[in-house]
Amino acid sequence: LESEKVILNKRGLFVEPAMLFFDDRPGLAAKFGTLLDHNVILRQTGVSPAMAAAGVRSLAAAVRTALVDCDQPSDDLALADLIHARTDLIKRVLESQAQAAGRPDISRLEGLACKRANRIVVQHFVKFIGSEVSSKPETVDSFFDPQEKRLFYSQSNGEPPWPAIARALAQVLCPELEPGRLSPGIKE
């Protein structure tokens, strides 16, 4: 079914499932301007598993985010130690959402390095219609690089931006879930 026009897009036209994404991270599709407007659909109760089996992709899982600029990064050993000390608590938060979260990967926190920076700029990329397209670069409060196991953040008013840090951790530990479901528990 992947190459057959069997699923309706937002304009009501049948398209190939591989041309569609589930809108599973609020605001993410908008970062690509109008490019994905008609190709991001909501999950529909009862039929989403069949749509995914046919080839509709999770937008959150399809998007790759890259660090494009980090102004004056410096190690923050105290924050890394705090996160490591709270690993069991974070694991409990993830386990409380285990049914919806799939398989959270708490091992991604092992060897975590934290970097404080003056400014962090990221850019989002997604493969769409045979090529990789990108968003405009944007300044963010935090960014977790899962390959390098580095958490970058920029302070506001001399304090780490705890909600943004919790969100970044949630996105990496449970990419299948909307980070807003987990970040309050991680933050606390």
Side-chain angles (χ1 to χ4, degrees), residues 76-84 112 114 151 153 160 162 165:
D76 187 341
L77 300 175
L79 180 59
D81 289 344
L82 178 64
I83 291 171
H84 288 289
L112 175 71
C114 295
L151 173 67
Y153 73 93
W162 294 115
I165 289 171

Side-chain angles (χ1 to χ4, degrees), residues 79-177:
L79 180 59
D81 289 344
L82 178 64
I83 291 171
H84 288 289
R86 293 188 176 175
T87 299
D88 287 339
L89 297 171
I90 293 169
K91 187 176 181 177
R92 273 191 258 159
V93 169
L94 299 178
E95 287 172 351
S96 73
Q97 297 286 335
Q99 186 177 18
R103 291 192 165 84
D105 190 359
I106 198 76
S107 71
R108 292 182 177 186
L109 294 181
E110 293 171 11
L112 175 71
C114 295
K115 305 275 186 184
R116 179 179 41 246
N118 291 337
R119 185 173 66 108
I120 303 162
V121 179
V122 300
Q123 192 167 15
H124 307 282
F125 301 88
V126 66
K127 289 185 180 176
F128 182 64
I129 311 178
S131 63
E132 188 170 70
V133 295
S134 62
S135 68
K136 292 181 180 178
E138 68 174 302
T139 300
V140 296
D141 291 330
S142 69
F143 170 71
F144 190 119
D145 179 346
Q147 285 75 32
E148 299 292 327
K149 293 190 174 186
R150 294 183 300 176
L151 173 67
F152 296 89
Y153 73 93
S154 59
Q155 286 188 327
S156 56
N157 301 324
E159 287 291 317
W162 294 115
I165 289 171
R167 222 174 147 73
L169 291 173
Q171 287 175 341
V172 170
L173 298 172
C174 281
E176 303 84 18
L177 270 185

Side-chain angles (χ1 to χ4, degrees), residues 20-21 28-29 31-32 35-36 40 57-65 123-135:
L20 295 173
F21 299 96
L28 186 55
K31 294 179 186 298
F32 294 93
L35 181 67
L36 302 177
V40 178
R57 298 179 284 162
S58 156
L59 183 60
V63 169
R64 176 180 62 85
T65 303
Q123 192 167 15
H124 307 282
F125 301 88
V126 66
K127 289 185 180 176
F128 182 64
I129 311 178
S131 63
E132 188 170 70
V133 295
S134 62
S135 68

